[in-house]
Each structure stands twice: as structure tokens, then as C-alpha cells.
């Protein structure tokens, strides 16, 4: 995806902060000169709403009140 490739510099020189951490889920934000990426991982057996916002660049998620619903064993990258 061209959008993800254009954000390579963001990830390489980014500052990363964990925004949500549980036994089965992780959300982190990487911010740099070129912008911000948010990544959500769901290792659980059920879909879960995670505190993620923005445009989906890769993966799967549905926008809902309070964030995005990430499917079981799923992930999403947002800008």
C-alpha cells in the first residue's frame, strides 16, 4: 500500500507509546515528523472495541462508538 510505504519514515524515527495493554490486546501509537500511525492487535477469541481512531491503512476493523471493533485474532493499522 502506497500510504504505508510513504509512512516508513514515521516508523523509523518515531516515538512509540503504548496506549492500551491487556493480556490479549495491544494498542500503540508511533509519531514522527511525517505523521502518526496507530496499531491495534487482538489475540483474543472474540472481537473487541479498542481505543483506535483514524483512517484504516491495513488490516480489518469497524468504526464504532469508543474506537474500532477489531476481529478475533485481528489487527489494524490507522493513520
Amino acid at each position: 500500500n502506497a500510504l504505508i510505504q510513504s509512512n516508513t519514515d514515521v516508523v523509523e524515527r518515531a516515538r512509540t507509546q503504548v496506549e492500551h495493554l491487556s493480556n490479549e490486546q495491544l494498542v500503540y501509537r508511533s509519531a514522527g515528523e511525517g505523521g502518526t500511525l496507530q496499531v491495534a492487535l487482538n489475540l483474543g477469541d472474540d472481537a473487541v472495541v479498542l481505543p483506535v481512531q483514524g483512517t484504516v491503512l491495513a488490516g480489518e476493523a469497524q468504526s464504532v462508538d469508543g474506537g474500532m471493533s477489531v476481529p478475533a485474532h485481528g489487527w489494524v493499522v490507522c493513520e
Side-chain angles (χ1 to χ4, degrees), residues 6-7 9-10 12-13 15 19 24 30 32 36 40 47 49 56-57 61 77:
S6 69
N7 285 314
D9 287 341
V10 173
E12 287 177 354
R13 287 178 250 148
R15 299 194 80 173
E19 297 186 331
E24 296 181 333
S30 291
T36 300
V49 176
V56 174
L57 300 178
V77 178

Side-chain angles (χ1 to χ4, degrees), residues 26-74:
L26 169 66
V27 176
Y28 66 88
R29 176 184 304 271
S30 291
E33 295 174 14
T36 300
L37 294 176
Q38 216 176 3
V39 177
L41 309 170
N42 178 16
L43 299 178
D45 292 332
D46 298 308
V48 64
V49 176
L50 294 172
V52 180
Q53 297 179 4
T55 302
V56 174
L57 300 178
E60 291 185 41
Q62 297 292 324
S63 182
V64 296
D65 287 339
M68 291 199 181
S69 178
V70 179
H73 307 284

